């Protein structure tokens, strides 16, 4: 065994012309993976956590007048990386070993030779470049020649130096004393070929058949060693055997374009290992995604436990073929909508291109654990509960419900899944035994408990409850409808199926006959914003955490009591017969006039509701068109663009709208009454006309005033 320091003190090392360019600094995916893994191993060695054996270095040795010269035939890549590592720490720790490092040189190209020679002559202060990229700093040096950047070896060395700096800059140990000592944990075997009767021609043969180990091949060998060192010698052999046989058979149908299962195996292995790791609070904050989780130091800790090794083997042995996998997930998808991008969750796990989401990871973990524990009869019910809980991990943004699921949420959720499954009880029994669980909000958990009680006390309602949960509007969040469901289960489900197919403005008008249920979702320069529904806000209105269960209960009671057959007829009946608001209240008009509650976003800004100073938005804020809904009702009832139109009356930003007519008379609601401005003669006549109006309905008064103004202007034009 020999170290790089011992080798370079005994020989001058010259990388010969016949050798290929330095490759461990290339930026393709495979080289990047190998580089990251190599630097991780070297870091563990430096921290005295392991020994790194760089295998054999072969070369020929010649003598010149002063020294012995080593021409490496195999080992150039490793020796170059070690040269850069020693050079980096000499700069970092301000230890001058450049004289010795100058004994390493490149002969592949003049540019590589000159760059290597220039490096060992450079005097750098590490504090000046601590937070900089080494490559950028070196390129800016006066001695650096830009044509060197055309040399692949120089390019690769710069990439490797950046990677070394990123990986090692925060190491607080004094590394140079260790790596130049006899106790250096990084070693290799050196064979002088002439002693075996071989020469440089061997390089041609070795290079022809030789191929660098892939990341997967390196991983496989090292993981077997991890298992063996942890005391699982039989498991280590079993891992190798199964990976060569049944696991390869399983994953072969997921092979990459290069006809290997490397990527598929690494992805499923990473999922399994991550699922274990994130339940340990010490590992939750590590950057496990999006890179495969195969960091050696973590793997050693995780797979030092027998239960984790068993979990790995159990998961990889759950299915025997892709067709068996697809059958499992197809049956689940047909029985239980998970509202995910991918129905084949295992496929999404092993294929990076399918964007395996956090919610999908939770569902796959649940399915795996239920199968491992032999609880497949209860799998769908358990998965349903987990789906419902996961769907409610969300936040409201402008009336839209967006997932608030984060990677660090997965650990507590997986622990809860384990806790529920390990009881061995059916999910609707076990739910009732826990007051709260990790990973899910208490109110969300209580919603599932309430449904579990219904199923236990009224098992005949189970399928109806599930039918309601599986509607895309609800995605399991049916808490607003649970009270009415218990009383009128069939009607609730049937009416809901019809309601979500109908125009939202009908539903909102009918619900407004019961109470002012508008939900505030923010503020604007003109006042608070309230939402009343619309397809854009439907899910928010029906499933949010505001307690609207009393409203929905009364609403369904009215539907059931209405003497009509279809739900649409029932809604119209409620609107026509249940509008008990005073004519002085804004809600009276929202119910009466269909134009007011129209569009996909039933969103309104209330500056002063008592004075009818309200704006209906067409977007989520004032940047979109908006208009006072009473003006819009008047415009719609008149229905004559020659008199007035939406386009001339709607405004944007913080301006308040006006009802603008084609005859240059503008109408406005101020202090709860109509006001107008424009031609003085017409205004004078309008005021007299208004005093004689008998309508109490503000919209009807507006219609009369606008029509009269138009008639006056038209008559004035004729007489003129």
């Amino acid at each position: 065994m020999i170290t790089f320091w011992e080798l370079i003190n005994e020989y001058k090392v010259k990388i010969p012309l016949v050798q290929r360019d330095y490759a461990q600094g290339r930026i393709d995916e495979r080289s990047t993976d190998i580089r990251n893994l190599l630097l991780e191993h070297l870091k563990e060695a430096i921290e005295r956590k392991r020994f790194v054996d760089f295998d054999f270095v072969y070369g020929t040795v010649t003598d010149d007048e002063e020294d012995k010269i080593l021409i490496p035939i195999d080992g150039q890549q490793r020796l170059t990386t070690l040269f850069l590592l020693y050079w980096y720490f000499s700069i970092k720790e301000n230890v001058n070993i450049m004289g010795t490092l100058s004994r390493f040189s490149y002969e592949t190209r003049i540019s590589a030779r000159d760059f290597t020679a220039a490096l060992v002559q450079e005097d750098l202060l590490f504090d000046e470049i601590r937070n900089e990229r080494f490559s950028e700093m070196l390129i800016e040096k006066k001695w650096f020649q830009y044509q060197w950047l055309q040399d692949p070896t120089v390019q690769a060395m710069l990439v490797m130096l950046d990677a070394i700096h990123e990986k090692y800059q925060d190491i607080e140990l004094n590394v140079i004393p260790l790596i130049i000592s006899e106790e250096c944990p990084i070693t290799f075997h050196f064979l002088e070929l002439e002693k075996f009767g071989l020469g440089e021609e061997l390089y041609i043969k070795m290079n022809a058949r030789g191929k660098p180990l892939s990341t997967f091949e390196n991983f496989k060998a090292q993981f077997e060693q991890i298992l063996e060192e942890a005391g699982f010698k039989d498991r280590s052999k079993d891992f190798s055997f199964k990976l060569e046989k049944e696991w390869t058979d399983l994953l072969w149908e997921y092979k990459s374009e290069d006809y290997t299962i490397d990527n598929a195996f690494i992805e499923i292995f990473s999922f399994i290992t991550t699922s274990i790791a994130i339940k340990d609070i010490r590992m939750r904050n590590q950057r496990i995604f999006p890179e495969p989780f195969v960091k050696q130091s973590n793997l050693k800790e995780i797979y030092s436990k027998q239960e984790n090794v068993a979990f790995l083997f159990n998961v990889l042995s759950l299915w025997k073929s892709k067709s068996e996998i697809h059958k499992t997930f197809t049956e689940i998808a047909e029985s239980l909508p998970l509202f995910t991008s991918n129905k084949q969750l295992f496929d999404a796990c092993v294929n990076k291109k399918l964007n395996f989401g956090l919610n999908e990871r939770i569902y796959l973990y649940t399915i795996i654990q239920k199968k491992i524990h032999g609880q497949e009869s209860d799998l769908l019910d358990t998965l349903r509960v987990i789906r419902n809980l996961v769907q409610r991990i969300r936040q409201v943004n402008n009336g839209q419900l967006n997932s608030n699921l984060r990677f660090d949420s997965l650990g507590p959720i997986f622990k809860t899944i384990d806790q529920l499954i390990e009881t061995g009880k059916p999910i609707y029994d076990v739910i009732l035994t826990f007051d709260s669980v990790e990973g899910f909000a208490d109110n969300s958990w209580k919603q599932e408990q309430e449904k579990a009680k219904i199923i236990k006390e009224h098992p005949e309602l189970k399928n109806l409850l599930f039918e309601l949960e599986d509607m895309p509007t609800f995605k399991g969040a049916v808490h607003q409808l649970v009270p009415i469901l218990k009383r009128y289960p069939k009607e609730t489900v049937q009416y809901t199926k019809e309601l979500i197919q109908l125009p939202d403005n009908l539903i909102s008008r009918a619900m407004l006959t019961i109470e002012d249920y508008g939900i505030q979702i923010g503020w604007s320069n003109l006042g608070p914003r309230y939402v009343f529904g619309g397809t854009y806000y439907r899910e928010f209105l029906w499933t949010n955490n505001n307690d609207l269960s009393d409203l929905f209960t009364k609403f369904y009671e009215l539907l059931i009591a209405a003497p009509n057959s279809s739900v649409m007829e029932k809604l119209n009946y409620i609107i026509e017969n249940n509008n008990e608001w005073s004519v002085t209240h804004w809600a009276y008009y929202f119910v009466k006039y269909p134009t007011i509650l129209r569009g996909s976003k039933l969103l309104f800004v209330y500056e002063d509701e008592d004075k009818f100073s309200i704006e209906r938005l067409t977007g989520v804020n004032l940047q979109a068109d908006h208009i006072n809904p009473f003006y819009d009702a008047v415009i719609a009832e008149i229905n004559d663009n020659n008199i007035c139109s939406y386009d001339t009356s709607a405004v944007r930003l913080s301006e308040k709208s006006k009802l603008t007519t084609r005859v240059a008379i503008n109408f406005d609601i101020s202090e709860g009454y109509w006001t107008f401005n424009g031609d003085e003669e017409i205004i004078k006549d309008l005021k007299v006309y208004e005093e004689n109006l008998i309508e109490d309905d503000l919209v009807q008064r507006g219609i009369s005033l606008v029509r009269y103004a138009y008639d006056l202007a038209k008559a004035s034009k004729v007489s003129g």
Side-chain angles (χ1 to χ4, degrees), residues 291-503:
E291 296 301 321
F293 189 45
V294 292
K295 189 176 180 181
Q296 296 297 306
S297 56
N298 288 333
L299 295 185
K300 284 184 177 180
E301 180 177 357
I302 292 166
Y303 290 106
S304 65
K305 298 177 182 178
Q306 186 172 351
E307 62 268 27
N308 294 341
V309 177
F311 181 67
L312 171 68
F313 277 71
N314 287 337
V315 175
L316 291 172
S317 302
L318 271 179
W319 294 282
K320 302 301 181 185
S321 66
K322 187 175 184 178
S323 61
E324 189 179 326
I325 291 170
H326 278 196
K327 182 174 183 292
T328 296
F329 290 97
T330 297
E331 289 174 352
I332 290 172
E334 290 173 348
S335 304
L336 175 64
L338 294 176
F339 309 109
T340 57
S341 302
N342 303 293
K343 292 182 179 179
Q344 293 294 335
L345 299 183
F346 187 92
D347 290 18
C349 177
V350 299
N351 187 342
K352 281 184 177 182
K353 296 179 181 178
L354 294 181
N355 190 22
F356 192 35
L358 295 181
N359 57 340
E360 294 172 334
R361 292 174 184 273
I362 295 171
Y363 302 150
L364 179 58
Y365 181 80
T366 304
I367 293 165
I368 285 171
Q369 283 289 50
K370 292 295 284 187
K371 288 177 72 67
I372 287 176
H373 285 78
Q375 299 176 13
E376 294 190 57
S377 62
D378 187 50
L379 190 156
L380 286 175
D381 284 352
T382 302
L383 188 58
R384 172 179 294 276
V385 170
I386 297 302
R387 177 205 69 179
N388 295 347
L389 291 165
V390 168
Q391 286 292 332
R392 289 196 295 272
I393 300 177
R394 58 193 188 178
Q395 60 185 354
V396 180
N397 183 15
N398 283 325
Q400 291 294 286
L401 296 169
N402 301 317
S403 175
N404 199 29
L405 192 60
R406 301 290 183 266
F407 171 69
D408 56 8
S409 309
L410 266 58
I413 290 173
F414 281 13
K415 289 180 71 175
T416 289
I417 292 169
D418 291 350
Q419 188 179 28
L420 297 175
I421 291 174
E422 288 168 3
T423 64
K425 298 178 182 178
I427 188 64
Y428 290 115
D429 288 336
V430 74
I431 279 179
L432 299 175
T433 64
F434 294 99
D435 292 333
S436 62
V437 292
E438 285 189 75
F440 301 111
D442 287 349
N443 66 332
S444 184
W445 180 249
K446 293 188 187 309
Q447 289 176 26
E448 294 308 305
Q449 287 185 315
E450 176 67 17
K451 287 184 278 188
K453 290 176 184 176
I454 293 174
I455 291 169
K456 297 293 290 181
E457 296 169 5
H458 304 283
E460 72 279 5
L461 299 183
K462 183 177 181 180
N463 289 336
L464 288 169
L465 174 62
F466 287 178
E467 190 174 355
L468 200 62
E469 284 187 331
D470 292 345
M471 296 180 190
T473 296
F474 300 102
K475 299 183 179 72
V478 297
H479 50 285
Q480 310 276 32
L481 302 184
V482 164
I484 193 68
L485 177 74
K486 289 193 288 188
R487 293 170 53 199
Y488 303 101
K490 291 182 180 179
E491 293 87 346
T492 299
V493 173
Q494 181 57 41
Y495 289 177
T496 304
K497 288 165 68 175
E498 293 186 48
L499 283 167
I500 59 179
Q501 301 298 322
L502 293 175

Side-chain angles (χ1 to χ4, degrees), residues 570-630:
K570 287 174 177 288
L571 289 171
N572 282 316
Y573 179 86
I574 294 169
I575 291 167
E576 293 169 7
N577 294 277
N578 207 50
N579 188 1
E580 298 179 356
W581 293 102
S582 164
V583 73
T584 60
H585 196 284
W586 60 266
Y588 168 86
Y589 301 94
F590 277 49
V591 174
K592 181 177 179 180
Y593 294 100
T595 300
I596 289 180
L597 287 167
R598 68 180 174 94
S600 63
K601 300 180 180 71
L602 304 184
L603 181 64
F604 297 81
V605 172
Y606 283 71
E607 183 181 41
D608 191 332
E609 62 184 75
D610 294 332
K611 298 177 181 178
F612 302 101
S613 183
I614 304 170
E615 296 284 316
R616 189 190 68 224
L617 309 183
T618 57
V620 297
N621 53 45
L622 294 175
Q623 292 181 349
D625 289 349
H626 55 89
I627 191 172
N628 186 306
F630 298 93

